[in-house]
Amino acid sequence: MATNITMPQMGFDMTEGTIAAWLKKEGDPVTRGEAIAEIETDKTTIQIEAFSDGILRKIVAQPGQKVPVGEVIAIIADPNEVVEAASPSPVEQPTQTPALVTPPAPTPVTASGVVTESDRVIATPVARRIAQERGVDLRLVKGTGPEGRITKADVEAFILSATPAPTKVEPPAPVVVPPPPPVPVPTPVAAPPPPVSVSGEKQPLTRMRQTIATRMVASKQQVPHFYITVSVEMDAALALREQINAALQAEGVKVSVNDMVIRAAALALRRFPNLNASFAGDGIQRHDQVNVGVAVSVPDGLVTVTVRDADKKSLRQISLEMAGLAARAREGKMQPADYGGQTFTISNLGMYRVDNFIAIVNQPDAAILAVATAQPAPVVREGQIVIRTMMNMTLSGDHRVTDGAEAAQFLNEIKRLLENPWGLVL
Amino acid sequence: MPEITYREALKRALREEMQRDPTVVIWGEDVVAYAGGGAYGVTAGLAKEFPGRVRDTPIAEEAIIGIGIGAAMGGLRTVCEIMTVNFTLVAWDQIVNHAAKQSHMFNGQIKVPMVIRTPNGHGRTAATHSQNFDAWFASIPSLKVVAPATPYDAKGLLKTAIRDDDPVVFLEHLQLYSTRGEVPDEEYLIPIGEADYKRRGKDVTIVTWGRMTVESLKAARILAEEGIEVEIVDLRTLRPLDLSLALESVRKTNRMIVVEEGWRTGGLGAEIAASVQEVAFNYLDAPIARVAGLEVPMPYAKNLERATLPFAEDVVAAVRAMMQNQY
C-alpha cells in the first residue's frame, strides 16, 4: 500500500520545515526505521525515518523547499504499485498541495518527530478569534473547559489580568470585552527606518531570528518585568569545582560554573515553588517538575535547551547532560526532547567577560536568571578590603506571579547554595 | 389585552378570513359533526355561521388533500384539517408530489392556495398517534411550514397562511390547544418566514418552536432564579427557515442549544446547528447542543411517555451543563 511521508511537527510552534537533504533517491528500497531525509527547522536538523518497507517511489519536496507541517514530502510504495505521477512539481508550484495517492493522515506520522495531542491548543472558535484580535498567545492561557479547552471567559480573564487594572468603578461583566490595552501584536522589532543617507544591506530574517523576535517582543509586552541583582562570592565553589573535576578527570566529566548554577537554581526552585510556575490567566500554574532551561548561543542566534528534573540530578549528571545538549544545539541536531517544557531559564554570559546584564523572561516561565562573569574584585570582609572572586547574577521576574521580597529570598537562596557549595553535592 | 386559548385564536383566524373572502372553505374529518366542530373543537360553530363552506369528509386523508388541491387550483382557498399529523402519512404523495409541485411544474400558471392544518404531538395517544414530522415537511422545497407556539402567533400566522398562494402546512400541537395568551381584538397579520424573540437574555441562545417554546420559557424562569439569562428564539416558521435572529443572538451569547420535540436524528435541530456553525463558527464558545425526543416509538404508559419527551427540566439541565462547560 502506498504510504505518504509527511512533514513532521517537531515542537508545538513548528509550522513548516525545510528539506535539508534526501538520504535516499527515487527508486531506492527503504526499510522501516531507516533514515530517508534530513529536515531543518528554526531550531534543529533531524532525520526522518521510513515507517514502512517499500520503494521510495516519489520525492515530492525537493531539498531547500519549505513544506508546511502535515504535507506530503514523499511516497513509499510497492515496486509495481501505481503511484500518482501527476503531482505538480512542488518546485514550480511551491504553494500548491501535491496530488496525493491517499488523503494525508490527520496527524503527521514520523518515527522520530513525535507529535502528541498535548502539542495542540484546544480552544473554542470564539476564544481563538478574540485571542487573535487581541494578540494573546493561547499557549499561555489556562483552559477551564472540557479537556482543558480554552473558552472565551478564559481568554478574557487572561486579558484582564494582563492589563494594568483600570480604575475599577464597576466590575466588568463577563461578556464585556475590557477596554483595549495596547494590542501586543508580535511585530518584528520595528526600528525607525534609517535615514536615507545611510547605506547598507538588509539581511533577511532567518526562521530563528523571526522566532526570537516574536517571542521576545511578546514577553516584553505581556510580562511586567522587575529585576534584582546579587553578588556571589565564588571562591569556595571554584575550589570545589577543581576538586570534583580532578576526581572525575578519568571519566571525562568537567563540571562548569554554569552546571553549578543550574544545580543551585534547581534546589532553590524546589524550596520556592511559586518561582517554578507560570502565569495562567486566572491563576498561577505551579509545575511539579523542575526543568531548567539554559540559553545556548548558536550561530545566528540562540536556543534554550532543557535539563529536565534538574533538582533530582547530581552535578555529574547535569554536567554530562548539558555537554550533550549544548553540542547538539550548536550542531543544529537537537532532538525534540532537548528543548521546551522548561519551568525556569538561565542565561549565562560568563565566558564573555561581562559585569552584569539583564535578561528577558522566557515565557511561560516566572523568572530568568542572568549570570555574569566570576572575576576578582575588592570586597569588604570583617572591616577589611580583600580580593574575592565575585559573580553578579540578576533575576528578572514576572510581577504577575511573584514580588520583590519573594524573588529576593529566592535569589539569596541560590547565592547561599553557591557560597556554601557542599550543599550542591550532598 | 384579552387572554384567549390557542384553539379560540385559530377559530377567530378562520372566521375572520371566511368573512373577508367567500372563497375560503374548510374540509376535514368531523369538522362539522364531532363535538360541535373538529376533534379538538377548533371549527366549532363555523358550519352554522358559514353554511355549505364547512364540510365533513370521509376518513380518507389522501382524498381530503387531493380535493383540496383540486379546489385550490380551481379558485377556492381550501383549509384542510387532518385530525393529527400522523394521518398525513397516507396523503404524502398528494402533499409532496402534487400540492408542493404544481406551481413550479406549470411555470406559475397554476397556484395551490391551500392550508393543511394538523396537530403534532402527544397525549396518551401511543406510538402511531404521537409523532412530529416537522423536519420532514420542512425539507420539501416549495412547501411553506408554520408551527406557532402562542395564541397570538397562531392567529396571525393562520390568517397569513390562508391568504398565501402557496400550500402551507400549518402544524398545531395537541398540548397547545388549551394554552392561553393575549390576543388583541383588532386584526393583525404575522408574516410567514420571520422568527421572533420570545425572551431576551445574554447567556445561552435557545432556538426552538411549537410546544418547546412554551417549555423553554418555563425553563427560562427556573434558570433566571439561578442568575442564568437565556435568550429564546422562536422560529415560528420552519420553511422558509429564518435563522437571522438565531445568528444575531449567538453572536452575543456564543452558546446555542436547539430544542425540539421530535426525534434527534435528522431533526430540524441538526439542520439549524449545521447552518449556524457554517456562518457563525468564530462566535461559538461551545459546541451547539441539542435537546430532542428519544428515538423510540412512543410508549403508551404515562410515565414512559413522559420519559420519552423533552420538557422544561431537560432544557434547564442542558443550559446548566453548557454554563458549566460540560459540552
Side-chain angles (χ1 to χ4, degrees):
Chain A
M1 198 191 80
T3 316
N4 290 328
I5 309 291
T6 55
M7 177 59 70
Q9 183 169 31
M10 295 161 290
F12 57 81
D13 55 350
M14 174 174 167
T15 56
E16 60 180 20
T18 306
I19 308 290
W22 283 100
L23 308 176
K24 297 279 175 185
K25 56 183 191 297
E26 283 186 8
D28 282 355
V30 294
T31 54
R32 187 186 159 86
E34 195 176 5
I36 56 171
E38 284 185 349
I39 307 289
E40 203 174 274
T41 72
D42 55 350
K43 292 203 176 79
T44 184
T45 300
I46 70 150
Q47 294 188 340
I48 65 164
E49 298 167 3
F51 43 91
S52 61
D53 296 338
I55 305 291
L56 181 60
R57 291 290 300 277
K58 185 153 187 66
I59 288 176
V60 179
Q62 303 304 320
Q65 190 182 342
K66 280 185 184 172
V67 182
V69 166
E71 287 212 356
V72 175
I73 58 175
I75 299 165
I76 291 176
D78 293 338
N80 48 3
E81 206 169 343
V82 180
V83 170
E84 181 57 71
S87 308
S89 161
V91 180
E92 290 158 27
Q93 293 160 288
T95 56
Q96 207 165 340
T97 310
L100 308 177
V101 178
T102 54
T107 349
V109 184
T110 70
S112 49
V114 183
V115 178
T116 61
E117 269 302 305
S118 60
D119 288 342
R120 209 174 84 82
V121 172
I122 302 177
T124 67
V126 72
R128 284 187 190 280
R129 184 174 62 84
I130 293 171
Q132 192 180 10
E133 284 170 5
R134 305 296 298 276
V136 172
D137 183 349
L138 281 175
R139 289 171 302 188
L140 306 177
V141 180
K142 183 172 160 50
T144 60
E147 298 166 57
R149 186 198 293 151
I150 299 168
T151 64
K152 180 180 166 184
D154 297 332
V155 177
E156 284 174 350
F158 181 86
I159 293 170
L160 271 182
S161 58
T163 309
T167 44
K168 277 186 182 167
V169 180
E170 56 188 66
V175 288
V176 176
V177 177
V183 180
V185 182
T187 44
V189 194
V196 203
S197 57
V198 178
S199 63
E201 190 188 343
K202 182 160 116 185
Q203 295 289 326
L205 287 178
T206 60
R207 288 293 306 275
M208 186 181 289
R209 284 246 69 82
Q210 284 174 29
T211 305
I212 293 170
T214 306
R215 289 185 54 82
M216 293 301 103
V217 169
S219 176
K220 268 288 192 177
Q221 287 179 339
Q222 289 164 14
V223 177
H225 285 66
F226 70 95
Y227 313 99
I228 302 178
T229 304
V230 294
S231 234
V232 187
E233 185 181 313
M234 289 295 287
D235 298 280
L238 293 173
L240 178 64
R241 171 175 169 258
E242 272 189 26
Q243 288 176 28
I244 293 172
N245 285 344
L248 297 179
Q249 197 171 14
E251 289 183 43
V253 175
K254 204 175 167 204
V255 172
S256 68
V257 171
N258 197 53
D259 298 333
M260 301 178 100
V261 177
I262 294 170
R263 173 83 177 142
L267 293 176
L269 284 166
R270 187 45 75 200
R271 278 161 216 172
F272 287 82
N274 200 45
L275 270 296
N276 196 52
S278 299
F279 185 72
D282 59 349
I284 309 288
Q285 181 66 51
R286 291 196 175 177
H287 304 299
D288 294 333
Q289 281 182 290
V290 174
N291 297 335
V292 176
V294 179
V296 175
S297 179
V298 298
D300 193 37
L302 84 163
V303 294
T304 304
V305 298
T306 307
V307 181
R308 292 171 207 282
D309 295 311
D311 59 323
K312 297 182 183 136
K313 288 178 176 161
S314 68
L315 257 184
R316 184 167 165 280
Q317 274 176 295
I318 289 173
S319 180
L320 284 169
E321 202 170 302
M322 259 315 292
L325 287 167
R328 287 200 292 280
R330 292 197 184 98
E331 289 158 22
K333 300 230 171 208
M334 278 200 298
Q335 301 293 311
D338 289 351
Y339 55 90
Q342 85 288 341
T343 58
F344 181 82
T345 299
I346 294 170
S347 177
N348 191 330
L349 291 180
M351 65 293 270
Y352 296 106
R353 299 274 142 217
V354 299
D355 297 330
N356 193 20
F357 75 103
I358 291 170
I360 297 174
V361 167
N362 184 24
Q363 284 180 301
D365 303 354
I368 185 169
L369 187 67
V371 182
T373 308
Q375 51 195 341
V379 293
V380 177
R381 295 284 183 263
E382 293 164 1
Q384 300 294 312
I385 295 176
V386 294
I387 304 297
R388 293 283 187 269
T389 308
M390 302 304 293
M391 181 178 82
N392 284 327
M393 301 191 305
T394 297
L395 185 84
S396 308
D398 181 343
H399 221 321
R400 299 172 302 179
V401 179
T402 182
D403 306 315
E406 183 179 48
Q409 292 173 63
F410 167 69
L411 190 55
N412 269 300
E413 175 66 7
I414 301 177
K415 174 182 157 96
R416 189 189 68 77
L417 285 160
L418 288 169
E419 291 184 343
N420 302 280
W422 282 103
L424 300 178
V425 288
L426 293 177
Chain B
M1 214 184 295
E3 277 204 356
I4 60 170
T5 60
Y6 191 97
R7 171 188 293 111
E8 176 65 18
L10 292 169
K11 188 196 297 185
R12 287 192 191 174
L14 291 167
R15 179 187 287 125
E16 285 177 18
E17 291 308 298
M18 290 180 89
Q19 285 167 345
R20 177 179 173 273
D21 181 349
T23 67
V24 176
V25 295
I26 298 173
W27 295 332
E29 293 160 5
D30 291 341
V31 292
V32 178
Y34 182 80
Y40 306 104
V42 173
T43 55
L46 293 179
K48 267 190 191 150
E49 272 183 69
F50 304 97
R53 291 168 66 188
V54 183
R55 287 184 185 276
D56 275 338
T57 63
I59 302 175
E61 287 79 10
E62 189 175 12
I64 299 171
I65 303 293
I67 58 173
I69 293 168
M73 289 165 65
L76 295 182
R77 290 190 176 268
T78 50
V79 179
C80 295
E81 180 177 308
I82 303 293
M83 194 179 290
T84 79
V85 76
N86 309 281
F87 308 147
T88 65
L89 291 174
V90 293
W92 260 63
D93 178 56
Q94 289 296 336
I95 298 170
V96 177
N97 260 346
H98 298 275
K101 297 203 171 45
Q102 295 303 324
S103 179
H104 280 261
M105 292 181 71
F106 294 97
N107 196 26
Q109 297 172 80
I110 295 170
K111 295 290 182 192
V112 185
M114 73 183 297
V115 176
I116 301 167
R117 278 188 47 242
T118 187
N120 267 317
H122 58 278
R124 307 287 322 280
T125 43
T128 60
H129 290 58
S130 305
Q131 301 172 93
N132 290 268
F133 295 123
D134 309 348
W136 291 13
F137 286 117
S139 72
I140 295 165
S142 82
L143 269 190
K144 289 175 180 167
V145 183
V146 177
T150 65
Y152 180 90
D153 288 348
K155 183 177 180 219
L157 279 163
L158 183 53
K159 285 168 65 77
T160 306
I162 292 169
R163 296 184 196 185
D164 200 288
D165 281 343
D166 290 321
V168 178
V169 175
F170 196 90
L171 297 169
E172 298 161 11
H173 197 289
L174 296 181
Q175 298 301 323
L176 291 179
Y177 284 131
S178 296
T179 57
R180 304 180 75 87
E182 290 186 339
V183 175
D185 289 330
E186 55 272 22
E187 188 182 39
Y188 64 94
L189 295 170
I190 295 174
I192 290 174
E194 280 188 12
D196 183 40
Y197 284 117
K198 286 294 191 286
R199 187 182 195 279
R200 301 310 295 261
K202 61 177 172 46
D203 293 323
V204 176
T205 300
I206 291 177
V207 180
T208 188
W209 65 92
R211 179 181 76 91
M212 295 318 295
T213 298
V214 176
E215 293 296 318
S216 297
L217 282 164
K218 287 182 202 163
R221 286 192 285 275
I222 297 167
L223 290 161
E225 287 171 16
E226 301 170 13
I228 300 171
E229 298 295 337
V230 298
E231 185 147 284
I232 299 177
V233 176
D234 176 10
L235 293 170
R236 300 198 294 192
T237 299
L238 307 183
R239 185 176 193 100
L241 196 55
D242 171 24
L243 289 180
S244 62
L245 298 190
L247 289 165
E248 176 182 82
S249 178
V250 79
R251 286 192 172 103
K252 177 176 72 178
T253 64
N254 310 125
R255 302 183 184 98
M256 179 180 283
I257 299 174
V258 189
V259 180
E260 66 186 313
E261 182 173 300
W263 301 310
R264 180 184 174 95
T265 298
L268 210 49
E271 171 62 30
I272 293 163
S275 296
V276 167
Q277 62 86 23
E278 277 174 1
V279 179
F281 183 74
N282 283 335
Y283 292 85
L284 295 177
D285 206 21
I288 299 173
R290 285 177 287 169
V291 171
L294 296 188
E295 298 191 21
V296 292
M298 183 66 71
Y300 174 68
K302 191 175 183 181
N303 58 334
L304 296 181
E305 181 189 80
R306 169 93 190 171
T308 302
L309 292 161
F311 286 92
E313 57 261 35
D314 302 292
V315 179
V316 168
V319 171
R320 280 186 192 139
M322 185 161 280
M323 291 303 290
Q324 290 161 11
N325 272 332
Q326 287 169 11
Y327 278 101

